[in-house]
Amino acid sequence: MADKVRIFETARHVFRLNESQCDAVASCISATKCSEKPSVRLIWGPPGTGKTKTLSVILLMLLMDTSKPRILVCAPTNSALVQLASRLISLVENFTKTSHLLDDIIMFGSDKLSSCFKNTDNDLSKIFLKFLVNKLDIHHHRRRDEEDKLLQKAQLVFCTPFQSIRLSNQHFDILVIDEAAYLKESESMVPLTIDGIKHLVLVGDEKQLDSVVLSPVSLPYNTSDYFLISRLLIPYNTSDYFLISRLLTLLTANFVDCSQGYVWAEPL
């Protein structure tokens, strides 16, 4: 409990987060402190409540953890991945004591991923695997081996769920999925099968961005069955707070547009 309070105060005073954001940070970080007990944490919030900001603080605090957990961060689209990585880099560079942590972060993916870099204010080439290997000036037949060495060395890895299959022979402690409502449950199983993962953090809002289902066989069924975060939220949506209260943190501050059918409940 003392650990959770300390994390909450750090998030509030150092990173200037609001109360619900601090609750989310404290819940996620404190859960990962127990290495023997697996955990699942959900962060849900409408547009404007700071999901990306909150998640970037969680990632930075995990990077700063002296136990050095390995973290796999996935997002269903390249643009979502780039946005989160850019926010994390800004945090790392703005805190001089943690500037060296950039060496522990790697992003990899298809060539289309690098084309999204122009939409950010940060130079993501400093963490992009392809660019890092290009700097080594090695023969093309050794590229794959060097890439694997860099991935193995990294403490935090960004990639899409599909690309995470490349990491199947590596060990990670924590899996974080951003925009989780857009990711169908079958797709989320790809990173979840990676060895060692004991802690899962899902971030998203199924009312803002849900999965795209085109199959005529699947369409007649309830769309909430398609993605993991929505199924985990079912107890909350049915008012069974006891089942979900230890997993879910609602981000509520700064949200003003209720036109999308958002239903507010009492804070947990």
Side-chain angles (χ1 to χ4, degrees):
M1 185 64 179
D3 234 11
K4 195 170 183 178
V5 172
R6 179 182 57 80
I7 296 166
F8 182 99
E9 293 301 321
T10 299
R12 182 169 64 176
H13 296 297
V14 177
F15 298 105
R16 306 295 183 185
L17 301 185
N18 62 43
E19 185 173 349
S20 62
Q21 292 169 340
C22 291
D23 282 336
V25 172
S27 176
C28 293
I29 299 296
S30 60
T32 63
K33 294 288 186 181
C34 183
S35 59
E36 301 302 319
K37 185 178 180 181
S39 68
V40 176
R41 290 296 182 267
L42 313 177
I43 301 175
W44 184 93
T49 50
K51 295 188 294 293
T52 301
K53 179 180 180 180
T54 303
L55 184 52
S56 63
V57 171
I58 291 171
L59 295 179
L60 178 58
M61 294 185 73
L62 289 172
L63 280 170
M64 296 170 66
D65 192 330
T66 54
S67 65
K68 295 294 181 184
R70 291 201 77 203
I71 311 130
L72 175 59
V73 183
C74 292
T77 65
N78 288 333
S79 57
L81 207 61
V82 165
Q83 182 184 13
L84 179 56
S86 178
R87 187 68 66 90
L88 177 59
I89 286 179
S90 292
L91 275 181
V92 170
E93 292 181 335
N94 288 335
F95 288 84
T96 55
K97 292 182 180 179
T98 61
S99 59
H100 67 281
L101 293 177
L102 282 180
D103 297 335
D104 296 326
I105 304 171
I106 279 186
M107 172 189 285
F108 76 95
S110 66
D111 291 336
K112 291 182 179 179
L113 178 60
S114 59
S115 67
C116 297
F117 291 178
K118 61 185 178 183
N119 299 323
T120 70
D121 297 328
N122 292 296
D123 180 14
L124 296 184
S125 64
K126 63 186 70 175
I127 66 167
F128 191 47
L129 181 61
K130 180 179 179 180
F131 294 164
L132 293 174
V133 174
N134 286 343
K135 290 180 180 179
L136 298 177
D137 191 26
I138 58 176
H139 197 275
H140 67 87
H141 75 273
R142 290 181 51 206
R143 286 186 63 91
R144 185 74 177 193
D145 289 341
E146 291 300 324
E147 287 179 356
D148 289 341
K149 288 179 183 178
L150 289 173
L151 286 172
Q152 187 72 53
K153 180 182 176 183
Q155 184 185 349
L156 188 151
V157 177
F158 284 101
C159 66
T160 62
F162 175 75
Q163 293 284 347
S164 69
I165 196 170
R166 180 174 178 179
L167 306 170
S168 57
N169 63 340
Q170 295 195 27
H171 179 100
F172 285 85
D173 304 293
I174 303 166
L175 171 62
V176 177
I177 301 180
D178 193 17
E179 302 290 5
Y182 190 74
L183 191 66
K184 291 182 282 294
E185 185 167 353
S186 56
E187 296 169 325
S188 66
M189 290 299 107
V190 179
L192 276 169
T193 58
I194 292 176
D195 183 48
I197 291 175
K198 291 183 178 180
H199 307 286
L200 173 65
V201 178
L202 299 174
V203 184
D205 169 18
E206 81 285 1
K207 295 180 182 295
Q208 176 187 358
L209 186 67
D210 61 6
S211 59
V212 177
V213 179
L214 301 177
S215 167
V217 176
S218 301
L219 285 176
Y221 297 93
N222 189 344
T223 56
S224 65
D225 294 336
Y226 300 147
F227 38 89
L228 182 59
I229 190 171
S230 185
R231 286 209 304 112
L232 291 172
L233 282 169
I234 287 174
Y236 177 78
N237 291 330
T238 56
S239 300
D240 195 346
Y241 292 167
F242 178 76
L243 292 176
I244 199 70
S245 60
R246 298 185 65 181
L247 306 183
L248 172 67
T249 303
L250 298 175
L251 303 185
T252 57
N254 303 325
F255 180 65
V256 294
D257 181 9
C258 296
S259 63
Q260 298 301 315
Y262 291 96
V263 178
W264 295 106
E266 292 297 320
L268 300 180

